[in-house]
Amino acid sequence: MSLYSFGLEPLSCHTWNKDRTQIAVSPNNNVVNIYEKKGKDWVKIHELSEHSGRITGIDWAPESNRIVTCASDRNAYVWTLKDGVWKPTLVLVRINRAATCVKWSPLENKFALGSGARLISVCYFEEENDWWLSKHIKKSVRSTVLSLDWHPNNILLAAGSADLQCRVFSAYIKDIEDKPGPTAWGAKMPFGEVLLEHKDCGGWVHSVSFSPSGDQLAWVAHNSSITVADATQGKEVTQLTVDRLPLLSVLYVSPTEIVAAGHDCCPYQFTYKGPGALEFVKKLDIPKQSSKGGLSAMQLFQNLDKRASEEESIDLKTLHQNSITQLCVVSGEKAKVEKYSSVGLDGAMVIWDFKIQ
Amino acid sequence: MSKSTMSARFRRVDVDEYDENKFVDEEDGGENQLGPDEAESHLSPAVLRCILNPPCTGNLMEALHAVLKNPPINTKNQNVKDRAESLVLKVLSAFKSSDIEKGVQSLDKNGVDLLMKYIYKGFEKPSENSSAVLLQWHEKALAAGGVGSIVRVLTARKTV
């Protein structure tokens, strides 16, 4: 694992380019900074500033090399690299509240945008008029959409929202793609169709993640729980309550292993083998035992006086010093992730290695 | 000054009620949920005696499990909730300090979460010695359930 600090500001979101030599991050303001790896350091090479509100989501399409950004100013831009400069194109998302999250679909011909306007905007490029259009999914969503994830078949979309529910929608746009074949989630998939609606997840659903095959859906909710819905077992839902602080981000790293991280500043590994078999495996951040030099009595009392603690260091024992907000796959395909990255409120980005024992 | 001749009745209209986008909490019918009080009938006489006549050394573990069964989570009847809370408080106060840990260990995950809910409910209305007892229970329940159990007390939409 390696840690790199991008400053003191929290990192709202991050995304990697295709060969992982560049990373786009936003330091909790209205610009996106693109850094390139030079040796051990990350050097800033571009600054994307077109938004007027705080950036809430960035996603980089690896094949087509386009970046989509969304912000609290109710806009989304698609950026393309022309002559070494990133040029923005406005997307007509037609929302009247802030956008909260954005994700390119696996084939990169469309992207989904969640917003506080209680709808999901699925946007695609229309060749005729040379602009980005959007279609809205409004059915049954009753509060802000907090997180999105695409199914590998490029049609199904999972959404977690603040109305304590997790849903799977169909985002099939007949203008740009062929009719999808049936999946374990259902056979009929017109646009906006709800294929799974799990009510009362216990809290806001912060993050959703499909398994590599798309047959399972994992999500984390604010009541410190992680849940998996299994389409192959009649959409049966298995919930595991965790005895830690709530998790904010979840990622499938293999067909059975799940990594989740959140307010505890440390990633955890879970495993799902079937209905009722969702278990905690281990903490993935093993703190190095810091050697404690002999403290003189004077230092001890000074520490007690200044910091109300006898220990020398008041830092957290984990790598991250503040909540982890987002996890992202770095290397390895979705079914066999080798490295994943995390960013947090402490402004640090950590790349973790993942090994299946 | 001139008297206002227009009616001011419009000021009493609650416009939020007419907002078609208003978020309405879905409540499933909890009218039939009774809570541990009504379920007293299947508590054994020994346990009942123990709960209603402190101090007692009788089967406290059984009493604990019995009062934690059938919590009045779905009902809106405040009386049922209050009765349940006072019953639980009686049982918790009857435990000896050294037995609290064993009591907590005998509960499963959901039981610990439920116990935490009752403990925080008890904190809301402190009486004579209740806070001290509850704090002892809180310490042991926290060791068993972790901060996650407290998070679940805070995020639960329907609570005891």
Side-chain angles (χ1 to χ4, degrees), chain A residues 118 142 163-164 202 222-224 241-244 246, chain B residues 21 23-24 26 109 145-148 151-152 155 157:
Chain A
R118 300 136 43 129
R142 290 159 74 226
D163 58 359
L164 321 178
H222 201 69
N223 67 341
S224 295
T241 51
V242 176
D243 58 352
R244 308 263 151 76
Chain B
N21 294 331
F23 186 92
V24 175
E26 279 166 25
K109 252 191 170 186
V147 274
V151 172
R152 277 183 283 283
T155 56
R157 300 306 303 268

Side-chain angles (χ1 to χ4, degrees), chain A residues 290-300 303 310 312:
Chain A
S290 53
S291 57
K292 283 209 190 128
L295 274 177
S296 71
M298 165 124 130
Q299 274 177 321
L300 203 85
N303 278 341
E310 283 160 9
E312 276 202 35

Side-chain angles (χ1 to χ4, degrees), chain A residues 29 65 81 92 98 108-109 128 140 165 181 185 209 215-216 233 246 273 326 337 349:
Chain A
N29 59 12
N65 205 36
L81 191 60
L92 294 156
E108 297 168 24
N109 52 356
E128 269 178 48
S140 81
Q165 299 187 21
W185 295 98
S209 176
D215 288 333
Q216 282 91 28
Q233 308 287 338
K273 299 220 166 69
Q326 194 184 21
V337 170
M349 183 270 298

Side-chain angles (χ1 to χ4, degrees), chain B residues 21-96:
Chain B
N21 294 331
K22 183 173 182 214
F23 186 92
V24 175
D25 234 338
E26 279 166 25
E27 293 276 329
D28 20 23
E31 309 313 330
N32 300 325
Q33 268 245 343
L34 292 169
D37 199 341
E38 254 60 347
E40 250 174 35
S41 46
H42 49 77
L43 289 174
S44 75
V47 172
L48 258 180
R49 227 180 303 131
C50 162
I51 300 175
L52 300 173
N53 299 311
C56 65
T57 46
N59 205 333
L60 279 172
M61 289 293 194
E62 239 186 71
L64 181 65
H65 285 251
V67 291
L68 287 181
K69 231 182 355 191
N70 284 341
I73 290 187
N74 281 328
T75 183
K76 287 193 216 151
N77 189 338
Q78 195 52 41
N79 284 337
V80 175
K81 293 195 186 225
D82 288 340
R83 270 203 301 259
E85 171 59 28
S86 58
L87 259 183
V88 173
L89 202 49
K90 276 204 201 105
V91 175
L92 295 184
S93 315
F95 265 75
K96 267 207 298 259

